[in-house]
Amino acid sequence: MVQGFSTGGEYGGAATYMAEYAPDRKRGFFGSFLEFGTLGGFALGTAVMLLLELVLSPEQMSEWGWRLPFLLAAPMGLIGFYLRSKLDDTPVFEEMNGTAGDTRSTDHASPDAGLPAVAATAPDAHGEPAAEAVEPPSLPQVFKDHWKPMLVMTGLVISVNVVNYTLLSYMPTYLEQQIGLPAAAGLAVILIGEIAMMTLMPWSGGLSDRFGRKPSWYFSLAGLLLLPIPMFMLMGMNFGLAVLGFAVLGLLYIPQLSSITATFPAMFPTQSRFTGFAITYNIATSVFGGTAALVNEWAIGVTGDVRFPAYYMMGACAVGLVCAWFMRETAGASLRGSEVPGSIGSAVVPGSPAETALEEGRQPEQRTMEEAEMLSLADEARRAAATGAGGVAVDHAEAGEGAEDPDDGARVGAPLA
C-alpha cells in the first residue's frame, strides 16, 4: 500500500501539468505521452522480469531474484525526485494565481500564451490589466461545487483501472496459474502487447483531438464490453492466440488510456483542477484498481470460472459507459481561466469537437436548458470576458491582436443552435 500510494500520488499532478502545457488543439496528442511513459515503465519492468525468468532458477528467483527489479528502480526514483524538485507551476496556474506577469505577451513559454485567463485589476507595467489571484477553494468547497464531475470521473476511473490492472498487472499471474502458460511465455505475451500499445498511443491521442474525447471513450468502452469473453477464450488455447487475444484487448483499451491526460483535468476549472482530479482519481484507483488482482483471484477460487476477469472488466466498462454519457466534450476547450472547460460560455477552439457539442446542445447541462437560457449564459460570458472579469480565455482574433501560433487561441461562448 505504501508503494502504491507513493507511485500513484503524483499522477494527478503529472497529468494536470502536461494538460495545462499542451495546446488546446493537440492536448490529446501531447497528453498521450504521459501514458506512453507509463507503458514504457510497464514494458521495461516486464522485460526485466522476463530476463530474470530466463537466467535464474525458480529457487534463485524465490530467494533473491525478485529483489533485483526494485534495486534497478531505485536510481530511477532519484532521477524522478530531482526532476520533480525543479518543475515550475504551469502558466495556466500562474495566471490564475496572479504571478504570471504580463498575461497578454506573446511569449511562447506557454503553448497558449497571450490569452488572459483571470479577472483584471490594476494595470501592470505595460499598461495592461494585471491578473488577479483567484483564491483556491477549500476541500469541502471542491466537493460541494464539483461533486457531479467527481462522480462521473469516478465511474470512468473504475473502467480505466480495472482494465489496466487486469491487463497489465494481473495478466502474467493469470496466464501462468489459470491458463497454464510457462512464466516466461506469459511475460512475453504481455511485453509484445505493451510495445504494440506504446506504438499506437500518440496516434490514438491525436484521433481524440480530431473526433472528440467522448467518441474515443464510447468506442473503447463498447469494445471492452463486448469482446473480453471471446478474447479470454483465445488466450486459453495456445501462445499465439494468447498474444492475439491480449493484443485485441490492449488495442481496444488504448482510446481510453491515451486520452486520460486530456480528459480528466478538463473536468475541473483551474482553481480546483489538481485537487478535484487527484482526490477522485487516487481514491477510485485505490479502491477499484488496486484491488483488481485480489478480486479476480478470490472470485476464480470461489466460482471456479477462469474467465471471471473478463466479466469484471465488462462490468467496469458498463459503469464507464453510463458515466461517459454525462461527461462533457472537452476536445478543443481551453483550460485557462476560472470557467469549467467545455461549459456554456467557456473558451473553445473554433471548429473543435467542444465547439460542435456546444452548438448542437450536446453538453450534459444543455440537455435540460431552453435555448434562450443557453444564449443568455453565453452572452453573459462574452460581456464578462470583454471586461476582463469573466476569468475565461479571449481569442486574439476577436481582440485584434493576432495569435502567432495557429494552434493557440480560443473564443468565448460558442454559438448555440
Side-chain angles (χ1 to χ4, degrees), residues 4-95:
F5 285 125
S6 300
T7 303
E10 279 285 274
Y11 185 85
T16 300
Y17 188 86
M18 294 189 72
E20 290 187 345
Y21 261 109
D24 293 330
R25 292 182 186 272
K26 298 181 179 179
R27 191 176 305 120
F29 172 76
F30 285 106
S32 69
F33 283 93
L34 177 61
E35 295 305 330
F36 181 93
T38 301
L39 273 177
F42 272 110
L44 183 58
T46 303
V48 170
M49 289 301 300
L50 177 58
L51 178 63
L52 293 177
E53 285 286 348
L54 293 174
V55 301
L56 298 180
S57 67
E59 293 74 20
Q60 291 173 320
M61 192 70 171
S62 177
E63 290 178 4
W64 53 269
W66 62 272
R67 301 177 188 271
L68 295 179
F70 292 95
L71 296 175
L72 292 174
M76 295 183 185
L78 294 175
I79 294 170
F81 181 81
Y82 172 80
L83 293 174
R84 178 65 179 84
S85 68
K86 299 298 181 181
L87 294 179
D88 294 324
D89 285 319
T90 67
V92 173
F93 180 83
E94 289 179 341
E95 288 174 8

Side-chain angles (χ1 to χ4, degrees), residues 187-403:
L187 289 168
V189 169
I190 306 305
L191 182 59
I192 293 170
E194 287 169 344
I195 293 173
M197 292 170 69
M198 288 176 65
T199 303
L200 296 174
M201 192 69 66
W203 177 75
S204 177
L207 286 180
S208 77
D209 290 324
R210 181 177 179 183
F211 298 106
R213 315 288 183 233
K214 296 188 72 163
S216 295
W217 281 78
Y218 283 143
F219 173 80
S220 177
L221 291 165
L224 290 171
L225 186 61
L226 297 174
L227 294 180
I229 291 178
M231 294 304 104
F232 269 74
M233 292 174 67
L234 280 181
M235 286 189 285
M237 294 181 179
N238 56 54
F239 176 80
L241 292 177
V243 172
L244 176 61
F246 182 87
V248 170
L249 293 176
L251 295 179
L252 287 172
Y253 180 47
I254 285 178
Q256 287 183 63
L257 193 62
S258 64
S259 60
I260 288 176
T261 303
T263 301
F264 291 164
M267 291 184 171
F268 304 94
T270 303
Q271 63 272 21
S272 304
R273 182 167 297 134
F274 190 3
T275 303
F277 177 17
I279 289 175
T280 306
Y281 186 89
N282 287 331
I283 291 176
T285 299
S286 299
V287 174
F288 295 97
T291 60
L294 292 174
V295 170
N296 283 321
E297 282 286 292
W298 172 81
I300 291 175
V302 171
T303 65
D305 190 342
V306 296
R307 289 192 291 270
F308 180 84
Y311 310 146
Y312 197 39
M313 288 171 55
M314 293 166 64
C317 288
V319 172
L321 204 55
V322 172
C323 291
W325 169 251
F326 295 98
M327 178 177 73
R328 284 189 185 91
E329 177 56 71
T330 56
S334 176
L335 298 189
R336 307 174 87 87
S338 58
E339 298 292 320
V340 177
S343 62
I344 298 174
S346 65
V348 293
V349 173
S352 65
E355 184 193 49
T356 302
L358 284 166
E359 287 179 333
E360 297 176 357
R362 291 190 280 107
Q363 299 290 45
E365 68 271 19
Q366 291 179 279
R367 297 170 189 154
T368 58
M369 287 185 180
E370 297 292 334
E371 183 176 348
E373 186 179 359
M374 290 189 280
L375 289 170
S376 175
L377 287 173
D379 189 55
E380 288 176 11
R382 290 189 186 95
R383 290 198 301 270
T387 61
V392 293
V394 178
D395 184 15
H396 285 274
E398 291 186 0
E401 297 182 13

